[in-house]
Amino acid sequence: SSLYGSDALAGVVNVVTARPREGVSGQARLRGGSFGTTDATLALGLGRGGDAAGAWAVRVLANRYASGGYDLRPDVYGSTTPAFADWTGDVRARLALGRGAV
């Protein structure tokens, strides 16, 4: 806790994500489940220069998570869980200003 303060007595988890790749990259994922549940993700990345000064990278991600809902008690008015669709978007950018990446 000396490094992260008094609120870190139980510990700290440091998550380091992968750096964007040089060139063009992409990923598509589609998962399905019961009750019409779908999870679709599309990610596109573009980068130039690696870790050199002036290098840059951009990543754009879109996700749609949806379910048709379900009803555990058809004899009661209304569904247990109604249908829904949630959208999530994310944009990440990276720019190396000096010798190392920022």
Side-chain angles (χ1 to χ4, degrees):
S1 73
S2 64
L3 183 60
Y4 293 101
S6 61
D7 292 332
L9 289 175
V12 175
V13 176
N14 185 16
V15 177
V16 179
T17 60
R19 294 183 182 200
R21 296 181 182 168
E22 173 133 4
V24 178
S25 62
Q27 177 185 19
R29 183 178 72 189
L30 177 62
R31 300 186 310 166
S34 56
F35 305 111
T37 302
T38 57
D39 184 8
T41 303
L42 178 63
L44 300 171
L46 178 63
R48 184 177 78 66
D51 285 334
W56 58 269
V58 176
R59 179 177 158 249
V60 178
L61 178 134
N63 175 264
R64 180 181 186 269
Y65 181 69
S67 175
Y70 58 90
D71 193 5
L72 296 176
R73 301 270 321 260
D75 55 323
V76 177
Y77 176 76
S79 56
T80 304
T81 300
F84 68 88
D86 292 328
W87 288 87
T88 303
D90 182 47
V91 177
R92 296 180 188 187
R94 178 175 159 257
L95 173 63
L97 299 175
R99 297 175 107 194
V102 174

